[in-house]
């Protein structure tokens, strides 16, 4: 078995300071596989690290390889891999689940390993030494957190499984709440990649009507044109000076949503679940106002650390607030959804939108990483083309 001793990668040394370096690949552990990374899509957290050398309150303390939405080819397997996963072999296409939990704590034993206090996540500065990301040629990764891809999924789609797992986990979180009997409508704040993927997961869960709200008209048009949204709501950016003004703005936004009608004049059912994917306070406030009584608001987006919420609205109408953090045991569902999306197979009588359309910009090779980051940080490229998801293939 030949295992590469060196691997090139892009390492962030400071804000917008990427450097191509070649480092030693650690010896392959008995329970690990070595993966030649073929595709990595860029995430919002990657962009925060790239632009600020931090992500919220998390500071980078050593050069960090970014990237965690990835897929690659197995190039070597450790001595115990065959007994752990006998279906995995050299040459297989795999998606990398980049959060590695301890496996021993009460959270891991209860299958909520996404909130394991010891979890290490690739490309995050939350643990030190940092767990290096996937913008490098090769990584060694525990086989437990590697998922074999079916033949219909290519490497790029395999990389999309990570944010799709976020979406699948969030939708599953909502299903644990006793929702009103009319569950046909879901509202999604944020028409970025996560919001679009939440739409796909929600459609699989049986939601027939998807309302998408965003400040960007281009993203909303993309959503409706490609089957990710039934209705679009363009939210005008407005800022209130006081709490009262902010809440009035949120009520106005909610009214745009609850006043929607079908072409025949029939009112659109009020959403039983709202998925908040922006992290913006105004959107979270509007989510509570817009959701039907007895419904739920799922918190996915991360914004400022603290929010002012209209609890006096949520409590008497029993609006459940559900935080959702990354994912646990969601990759199998994400693979199932992705396969149906790519193949065009109907799910629950409905054909899913093609998630491959999210990848609007492609770059090839590690030497293009900086250009990819600059593109991913924009809503449109220099030609005016909408930027949804940027991938780097190598």
């Amino acid at each position: 078995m030949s295992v590469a001793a060196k691997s090139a990668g892009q390492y962030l040394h400071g804000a917008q300071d990427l450097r191509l370096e070649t480092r030693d690949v650690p010896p392959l552990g008995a329970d690990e596989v070595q993966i030649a990374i073929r595709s990595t899509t860029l995430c919002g957290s990657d962009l925060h690290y790239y632009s600020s050398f931090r992500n919220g309150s998390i500071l980078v303390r050593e050069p960090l390889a970014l990237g965690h939405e990835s897929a690659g080819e197995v190039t070597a397997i450790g001595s115990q891999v065959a007994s752990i996963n006998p279906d995995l072999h050299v040459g297989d296409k795999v998606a990398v689940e980049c959060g590695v939990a301890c496996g021993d704590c009460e959270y891991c034993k209860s299958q909520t390993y996404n909130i394991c206090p010891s979890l290490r996540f690739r490309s995050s500065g939350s643990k030190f030494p940092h767990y290096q990301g996937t913008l490098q040629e090769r990584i060694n990764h525990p086989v437990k957190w590697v998922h074999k891809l079916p033949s219909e999924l290519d490497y790029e789609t395999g990389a999309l499984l990570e944010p799709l797992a976020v979406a699948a986990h969030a939708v599953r979180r909502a299903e644990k709440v006793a929702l009103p009997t009319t569950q046909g409508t879901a509202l999604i704040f944020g028409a970025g990649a996560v919001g679009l993927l939440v739409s796909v997961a929600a459609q699989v869960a049986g939601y027939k009507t998807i309302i998408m709200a965003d400040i960007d008209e281009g993203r909303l048009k993309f959503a409706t044109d490609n089957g990710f949204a039934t209705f679009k709501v363009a939210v005008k950016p407005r800022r209130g000076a006081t709490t009262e003004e902010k809440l009035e703005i949120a009520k106005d936004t909610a009214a745009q949503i609850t006043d929607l009608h079908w072409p025949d004049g029939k009112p659109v059912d009020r959403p039983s679940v709202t998925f908040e994917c922006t992290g913006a306070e105004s959107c979270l406030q509007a989510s509570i106002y817009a959701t039907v009584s007895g419904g739920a608001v799922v918190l996915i987006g991360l914004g400022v650390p603290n929010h002012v919420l209209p609890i006096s609205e949520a409590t008497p109408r029993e609006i459940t607030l559900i935080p959702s953090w990354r994912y646990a045991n969601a990759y199998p569902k994400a693979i199932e959804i992705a396969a149906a999306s790519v193949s065009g197979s109907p799910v629950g009588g409905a054909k899913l939108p093609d998630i491959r359309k999210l990848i609007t910009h492609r770059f090839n090779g590690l030497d293009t990483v900086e250009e990819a980051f600059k593109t991913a940080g924009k809503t449109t490229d220099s030609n005016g083309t909408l930027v949804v998801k940027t991938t780097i293939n190598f």
Side-chain angles (χ1 to χ4, degrees):
M1 179 177 66
S2 177
V3 179
K6 301 285 184 180
S7 176
Q10 285 280 4
Y11 291 85
L12 189 70
H13 284 253
Q16 301 181 48
D17 182 10
L18 284 168
R19 304 179 192 178
L20 185 61
E21 301 176 5
T22 298
R23 297 188 177 188
D24 292 333
V25 178
L28 187 64
D31 65 340
E32 292 182 329
V33 296
Q34 187 169 108
I35 302 168
I37 300 298
R38 301 299 186 209
S39 185
T40 293
T41 52
L42 297 183
C43 169
S45 64
D46 294 322
L47 292 172
H48 285 301
Y49 282 123
Y50 171 72
S51 62
S52 305
F53 207 49
R54 64 187 296 164
N55 185 20
S57 61
I58 301 174
L59 303 177
V60 181
R61 290 179 280 170
E62 65 176 337
L64 177 65
L66 298 173
H68 57 268
E69 301 175 359
S70 60
E73 178 184 352
V74 175
T75 57
I77 61 175
S79 59
Q80 295 178 10
V81 167
S83 61
I84 299 171
N85 186 349
D87 294 329
L88 196 64
H89 304 93
V90 170
D92 284 342
K93 294 182 298 180
V94 294
V96 182
E97 184 171 350
C98 281
V100 175
C102 74
D104 295 322
C105 70
E106 59 181 312
Y107 300 104
C108 289
K109 292 176 181 177
S110 65
Q111 299 303 307
T112 55
Y113 61 80
N114 56 314
I115 53 175
C116 166
S118 301
L119 183 142
R120 297 181 300 146
F121 199 85
R122 288 191 181 274
S123 79
S124 171
S126 60
K127 295 290 189 293
F128 186 83
H130 302 328
Y131 200 19
Q132 299 295 336
T134 59
L135 285 176
Q136 47 182 321
E137 291 175 327
R138 293 175 188 264
I139 63 169
N140 295 341
H141 201 70
V143 68
K144 181 179 180 180
W145 308 107
V146 171
H147 303 272
K148 186 175 179 178
L149 298 178
S151 58
E152 61 264 39
L153 299 186
D154 58 17
Y155 290 118
E156 289 185 350
T157 313
L160 286 177
L161 290 176
E162 201 276 344
L164 183 54
V166 171
H169 179 73
V171 171
R172 187 173 59 199
R173 292 275 289 161
E175 292 174 339
K176 295 181 179 181
V177 176
L179 297 170
T181 54
T182 54
Q183 297 183 33
T185 303
L187 167 63
I188 300 171
F189 270 99
V194 171
L196 296 168
L197 291 171
V198 166
S199 168
V200 180
Q203 290 181 54
V204 170
Y207 290 89
K208 304 299 183 185
T209 304
I210 305 294
I211 304 170
M212 191 84 69
D214 200 287
I215 61 173
D216 190 298
E217 289 275 12
R219 288 188 172 187
L220 289 172
K221 186 177 187 302
F222 177 90
T224 53
D225 286 353
N226 292 287
F228 294 95
T230 318
F231 293 93
K232 60 182 178 180
V233 176
V235 179
K236 294 181 180 179
R238 297 163 59 192
R239 294 183 181 275
T242 66
T243 297
E244 291 73 18
E245 289 177 353
K246 291 177 181 179
L247 294 179
E248 285 301 318
I249 292 171
K251 289 178 183 178
D252 289 345
T253 300
Q256 287 182 259
I257 294 159
T258 56
D259 288 345
L260 289 170
H261 288 72
W262 293 97
D264 63 2
K266 182 181 178 181
V268 176
D269 288 339
R270 201 161 177 170
S272 58
V273 175
T274 297
F275 298 94
E276 206 302 296
C277 303
T278 71
E281 182 181 65
S282 59
C283 295
L284 180 50
Q285 293 165 343
S287 297
I288 293 172
Y289 288 120
T291 304
V292 72
S293 295
V297 176
V298 183
L299 314 179
I300 304 170
L302 292 177
V304 297
N306 300 300
H307 297 284
V308 174
L309 301 181
I311 296 301
S312 60
E313 176 78 9
T315 300
R317 295 204 294 115
E318 292 196 344
I319 305 296
T320 303
L321 302 182
I322 307 173
S324 184
W325 180 242
R326 290 179 180 151
Y327 40 78
N329 304 303
Y331 262 75
K333 186 66 175 180
I335 291 172
E336 175 190 330
I337 294 171
S341 168
V342 167
S343 67
S345 302
V347 177
K351 183 178 178 181
L352 297 178
D354 189 344
I355 64 171
R356 293 174 296 184
K357 292 183 178 180
L358 269 66
I359 299 178
T360 55
H361 291 74
R362 294 171 170 84
F363 294 84
N364 295 305
L366 285 171
D367 57 343
T368 68
V369 168
E370 187 163 9
E371 184 183 359
F373 268 101
K374 290 179 179 178
T375 298
K378 302 173 182 177
T379 55
T380 57
D381 64 16
S382 58
N383 297 318
T385 302
L386 180 71
V387 177
V388 179
K389 202 69 173 171
T390 300
T391 187
I392 303 158
N393 300 318
F394 50 95

